[in-house]
Amino acid sequence: MKKMIAALGVTAMVGSVPAYAGEVEVLHWWTSGGEAAALNVLKEDLQGKGVSWQDMPVAGGGGENAMTVLRARVSANNAPTAAQMLGFDIQDWGAQGAAANLNDVAAAEGWDSVVPAALQAFSKHDGKWVAAPVNVHSTNWVWANKKIFDELNLSVPSNFEEMAAAMDKMKAAGYTPLAHGGQAWQEATIFDSVVLATGGVDFYKKALIDLDAGALSGATMVKVFDRMATLRSNVDENFSGRDWNLASAMVIEGKAGMQIMGDWAKGEFLNAGQKPGEDFLCFRFPGTQGAVTFNSDQFVMFKIGSDRQAAQGELAKAIMAPSFQSAFNVVKGSVPARTDVPNDAFDDCGKKGMKDLAEANSSGKLLGSLAHGHAAPASVKNAMYDVVTAHFNGEFSSAEAAEELASAVAAAQ
Ligand code: BGC
């Protein structure tokens, strides 16, 4: 029907079916149940505007696999309409000149005044908007099974020692304390939190953003790796290669006590029908309260044929609409990328996420996530992934890992 309407060049509404307004092809890595539910909000929003959706999913958190597929597509002169992207990768595509200029739609819709500067730093290249930010996630969260906490009389840990004591109790009671999937990006996600909890905001900046060799190899980093080893001793023996959403399921099903993961995990709990405060708890990784390690999913729009540009413009506009930002982020687990979206529709974890973000932003404690592409360029991020994962899998002692981290980062720059 839509194709027929398009072929006839009809632009009016036919009954309740909106007129065909083109097609968008979108590359992304939202393949879990919760992610798919959130993506549906976007698909349906566009379909309501007559824009049809061509899905291009590439599984893998952190987007490494998606970026590999994207590079192949663009080199073959077959760029998608848009691709989900994180931080420094956006800047890379901007520098390569492959991204479309969204300044017209941004000016018409007033993006400059509603998107926080910390996000604009990634969305704009050379003064031009090249990406539309759909959300702000953060990685320094713990997702916990409330029944297990109640049964073992545990309260929310406020520092690493209390976290370790809680894990001991869970283990003694026969639970897997930490649900974890052994993939480099998941270990790096935990690393974000442990670096922040162990060294504080200034250390996080010095080590993961300024890439200071002394901070990367010094005593604080050795302690970070010791703590990573403590966490490692609290995962089950089948952790290798497990997808993050299957780790979330272990907490949802009451097999594991906690998962250290970005707030996309909340999407899995909600998708399983669970409620915050009743079935699961959300709290900041102990020792990181007040600070936020953020990442923002943004859609980079590519330079494409003029026949596809109108639908691309609709996509950019739809992503940034305040009502959409609320509806989407409520399901996704993230918070809006605009400062003017009310928090009414959000649950307690979402409200906390919004409040934490605003406070961290105004107190200088808003930090880009290393694991999710907002602290350092991909080459450095990948070098850190390798060392963190090798240590997690027992290849290095903590002291060796800190040394390796500094040399791997130096070599990657
Ligand atoms: C993205 C999230 C996604 C998660 C797991 C992160 O890099 O920012 O949107 O849900 O990866 O796939």
Side-chain angles (χ1 to χ4, degrees):
M1 173 68 150
K2 275 179 193 158
K3 288 254 157 66
M4 260 176 60
I5 294 172
L8 295 169
V10 176
T11 52
M13 290 274 280
V14 179
S16 61
V17 181
Y20 181 73
E23 177 181 278
V24 290
E25 191 202 2
V26 182
L27 191 148
H28 62 87
W29 62 94
W30 287 336
T31 54
S32 77
E35 290 172 331
L39 192 64
N40 251 336
V41 178
L42 180 56
K43 282 185 198 167
E44 280 170 11
D45 186 281
L46 285 163
Q47 276 158 7
K49 298 178 168 117
V51 176
S52 72
W53 181 275
Q54 181 75 35
D55 209 33
M56 181 75 202
V58 184
E64 261 188 298
N65 303 341
M67 291 306 102
T68 305
V69 171
L70 180 64
R71 275 191 295 276
R73 289 278 311 260
V74 177
S75 341
N77 227 345
N78 183 22
T81 311
Q84 177 192 357
M85 215 176 280
L86 297 172
F88 279 85
D89 291 336
I90 303 173
Q91 293 298 303
D92 282 352
W93 283 105
Q96 285 175 36
N101 180 349
L102 305 177
N103 275 2
D104 287 350
V105 53
E109 304 280 321
W111 294 2
D112 273 290
S113 55
V114 293
V115 175
L119 299 196
Q120 288 196 28
F122 293 106
S123 332
K124 282 183 177 174
H125 183 265
D126 242 355
K128 294 187 203 91
W129 283 90
V130 294
V134 69
N135 64 10
V136 186
H137 271 301
S138 57
T139 58
N140 57 321
W141 285 105
V142 180
W143 306 90
N145 180 294
K146 177 149 190 313
K147 235 195 224 148
I148 296 180
F149 265 61
D150 289 348
E151 179 197 320
L152 302 179
N153 234 331
L154 295 169
S155 43
V156 169
S158 59
N159 55 40
F160 192 80
E161 289 68 31
E162 288 178 21
M163 171 98 169
M167 291 190 294
D168 286 346
K169 284 198 183 157
M170 290 175 186
K171 213 187 246 178
Y175 296 111
T176 296
L178 272 193
H180 176 65
Q183 296 172 345
W185 74 269
Q186 295 190 57
E187 272 119 39
T189 301
I190 298 179
F191 186 70
D192 278 358
S193 287
V194 178
V195 170
L196 179 58
T198 309
V201 168
D202 290 343
F203 177 76
Y204 185 101
K205 274 191 194 149
K206 214 168 164 190
L208 303 190
I209 296 173
D210 302 340
L211 309 177
D212 177 270
L216 288 166
S217 64
T220 305
M221 193 57 84
V222 175
K223 189 168 176 199
V224 167
F225 281 110
D226 281 343
R227 288 179 162 186
M228 290 296 291
T230 302
L231 297 174
R232 163 70 182 86
S233 68
N234 282 286
V235 309
D236 70 327
E237 57 184 17
N238 298 319
F239 77 101
S240 276
R242 177 188 287 136
D243 286 330
W244 68 272
N245 52 314
L246 301 181
S248 306
M250 291 169 66
V251 179
I252 291 169
E253 290 161 12
K255 295 184 179 133
M258 302 180 278
Q259 180 183 25
I260 302 163
M261 189 44 69
D263 39 15
W264 47 90
K266 192 184 81 176
E268 296 306 298
F269 287 83
L270 299 181
N271 198 45
Q274 297 213 334
K275 295 206 164 48
E278 284 176 35
D279 307 299
F280 69 94
L281 305 172
C282 60
F283 51 90
R284 291 291 172 183
F285 185 88
T288 71
Q289 299 87 329
V292 166
T293 45
F294 82 98
N295 62 295
S296 164
D297 290 307
Q298 308 208 10
F299 282 94
V300 170
M301 305 289 156
F302 283 86
K303 286 183 179 157
I304 49 175
S306 53
D307 54 327
R308 294 160 65 203
Q309 287 170 8
Q312 186 179 53
E314 283 301 325
L315 174 64
K317 224 158 80 181
I319 287 171
M320 289 298 290
S323 58
F324 168 76
Q325 291 252 337
S326 177
F328 173 86
N329 286 304
V330 158
V331 180
K332 183 69 173 68
S334 36
V335 303
R338 307 176 51 120
T339 50
D340 60 347
V341 178
N343 72 358
D344 314 1
F346 288 80
D347 61 29
D348 288 349
C349 297
K351 287 195 168 87
K352 176 171 168 52
M354 288 173 83
K355 186 165 169 273
D356 288 354
L357 178 67
E359 284 174 6
N361 192 26
S362 56
S363 62
K365 294 181 178 172
L366 181 60
L367 304 159
S369 155
L370 183 269
H372 295 268
H374 284 70
S379 54
V380 170
K381 176 188 86 171
N382 292 335
M384 293 214 209
Y385 271 24
D386 290 348
V387 176
V388 169
T389 270
H391 170 266
F392 203 81
N393 287 291
E395 279 176 47
F396 300 132
S397 68
S398 298
E400 286 165 351
E403 282 296 323
E404 288 289 330
L405 193 66
S407 54
V409 167
Q413 287 182 81

